[in-house]
Amino acid sequence: MADTDTPVVAPAHFRVEIARSTTAFEVAPDQSILDAALRANAWIPHSCTQGTCGTCKLKVLSGTVDHADSPEYTLSLEERTDGLTLACRAVPTDDLVVEPLGATDDGVPHHPLRDYTAEVVELEDIAADTRRLVVELDSPMAFNAGQYCELIVPESGVARQYSMANPPDENRRLELHIKRTPGGLATDGWVFRSLKVGDRFTLKGPLGQFHLVNQCEETAVLIGGGTGLAPLKSIVRHALHLDLLPEIHLYHGGRRQVDLYDVEFFTALDREHPNFHYHPALSEEDWDGATGMVTDVVADDFATCKGMRAYLCGPPVMVAAAVKTLKRRRMSPRLILREEFTPAPPTTPSES
Ligand code: FES
């Protein structure tokens, strides 16, 4: 029998203040600092939200944290001793005053993180082992072109990240491009196996600091590998709709023709908009378009990239090669914005 005289003590919430600002928010038990901050619309720079990129590092000026499962390769023991922590992993064990290492104002308005119920309205194969998933949300999600959301895989509770390919003005209907991972819990085990039109699940968003920088004077070079096309599609559609960029070159790389998708869509955009140029490229098959690694194709097309801005999204190897190429072509490093695919954290020893 329960002891009705024993008062129920609610688990402690802690207050986090961002140093040298008026920003403060509450963090619930077991909630990460980043999750609480973004839900309170307090911007902390971040990218992967999985503890692997280090973008969300904070200096803890007062108070204590539990670093939880922060990996040592992202947050060394020395950094922990110096008072650094990862906002996406750390849980406060005290009230805190913190200072983000990255810029808290990156020149765009940010939108609060929220949970949504999503209903599948379209699911189609668009390329080899690649599906387009379109979902209708129960309420609009405000986001910046280029950001991503996290799908919660039913029953497992595991989260997987996919960029929105739709522009921000289509804020209730999200388009996601999903590549199958052999043995993957979210893809082989769900999206490519049992998911169907009419199914409902939870997702949260928006997340990530990869986004279109509005009203730029620079020519934009967008380079995507595989489903790295998704955030670039959002950026292209948004920029063309609002006439935000003077000139846009979109490069999409795949190994074979079966890896490319939305070719007709972008070819039509190229015809309609004199300032938009679409360049698909294949690395392992001859065809009547460009052949070679997509970054080599970019290097062949531009003698110099000085004064241009780049948006890169794809596998880390492609992104690293693109950065090297663009720097060699004299693009300023601060104008190279990138989003890398991060491997899903293992859920069991055999799953990804
Ligand atoms: S390590 Fe926290 S966002 Fe990447």
Side-chain angles (χ1 to χ4, degrees):
M1 180 183 278
D3 179 356
T4 51
D5 291 336
T6 306
V8 177
V9 180
H13 284 58
F14 294 108
R15 179 182 158 84
V16 176
E17 281 179 39
I18 307 279
R20 285 179 277 287
S21 78
T22 54
T23 306
F25 51 91
E26 296 269 308
V27 186
D30 297 328
Q31 186 179 26
S32 72
I33 297 171
L34 182 67
D35 189 86
L38 297 180
R39 286 177 193 276
N41 209 16
W43 181 249
I44 291 178
H46 66 282
S47 181
C48 71
T49 69
Q50 296 180 359
T52 57
C53 73
T55 313
C56 65
K57 267 178 204 167
L58 299 173
K59 175 97 177 163
V60 179
L61 301 178
S62 77
T64 53
V65 297
D66 174 355
H67 296 292
D69 55 354
S70 301
E72 257 187 73
Y73 62 82
T74 316
L75 188 71
S76 67
L77 296 178
E78 197 180 350
E79 287 177 309
R80 292 169 206 230
T81 308
D82 287 347
L84 296 183
T85 197
L86 297 178
C88 72
R89 301 285 98 191
V91 175
T93 50
D94 197 354
D95 289 345
L96 303 177
V97 179
V98 299
E99 182 174 46
L101 298 196
T104 49
D105 178 6
D106 57 0
V108 294
H110 289 288
H111 308 287
L113 179 66
R114 297 266 185 272
D115 296 320
Y116 298 87
T117 299
E119 180 175 334
V120 179
V121 292
E122 283 177 41
L123 185 61
E124 61 165 336
D125 291 315
I126 51 174
D129 287 331
T130 307
R131 287 191 166 173
R132 186 192 324 275
L133 168 62
V134 180
V135 297
E136 199 89 39
L137 302 182
D138 55 342
S139 60
M141 178 200 289
F143 66 96
N144 295 320
Q147 288 193 287
Y148 68 85
C149 61
E150 267 188 9
L151 277 52
I152 311 301
V153 181
E155 287 160 27
S156 70
V158 163
R160 291 291 184 264
Q161 305 171 330
Y162 297 99
S163 300
M164 277 74 81
N166 52 293
D169 61 336
E170 294 175 11
N171 54 16
R172 275 193 86 147
R173 194 178 168 93
L174 306 188
E175 174 186 338
L176 312 171
H177 302 165
I178 301 181
K179 177 85 177 171
R180 188 173 78 87
T181 304
L185 179 110
T187 57
D188 254 3
W190 180 44
V191 174
F192 285 77
R193 195 182 70 168
S194 57
L195 190 68
K196 57 187 184 311
V197 170
D199 283 0
R200 288 166 168 247
F201 59 89
T202 301
L203 66 75
K204 72 176 191 181
L207 289 157
Q209 61 182 13
F210 182 71
H211 58 75
L212 172 67
V213 178
N214 289 342
Q215 299 293 5
C216 288
E217 299 303 315
E218 305 100 6
T219 292
V221 180
L222 283 57
I223 308 173
T227 51
L229 182 66
L232 307 184
K233 184 176 181 182
S234 177
I235 288 172
V236 166
R237 291 189 61 199
H238 188 57
L240 290 178
H241 180 57
L242 298 179
D243 199 17
L244 298 173
L245 299 174
E247 200 80 12
I248 307 171
H249 291 269
L250 172 65
Y251 289 83
H252 185 208
R255 286 184 299 155
R256 302 153 299 147
Q257 282 197 63
V258 290
D259 297 320
L260 295 179
Y261 60 92
D262 285 347
V263 175
E264 285 177 15
F265 175 83
F266 286 113
T267 303
L269 275 191
D270 187 311
R271 271 197 301 268
E272 286 163 28
H273 297 270
N275 65 332
F276 173 67
H277 314 281
Y278 172 52
H279 312 268
L282 298 181
S283 61
E284 291 182 8
E285 198 172 82
D286 285 332
W287 67 321
D288 55 4
T291 51
M293 299 303 291
V294 66
T295 48
D296 294 336
V297 175
V298 174
D300 288 345
D301 285 356
F302 295 98
T304 178
C305 293
K306 193 172 179 191
M308 298 181 181
R309 182 184 290 270
Y311 297 87
L312 316 174
C313 185
V317 173
M318 185 222 83
V319 171
V323 170
K324 205 166 157 188
T325 297
L326 295 168
K327 283 186 185 166
R328 271 208 205 116
R329 289 285 185 270
R330 305 188 63 207
M331 186 178 286
S332 165
R334 74 179 174 82
L335 297 181
I336 304 175
L337 311 180
R338 65 191 94 165
E339 182 86 302
E340 291 177 11
F341 295 162
T342 46
T347 49
T348 71
S350 61
E351 289 173 327
S352 58

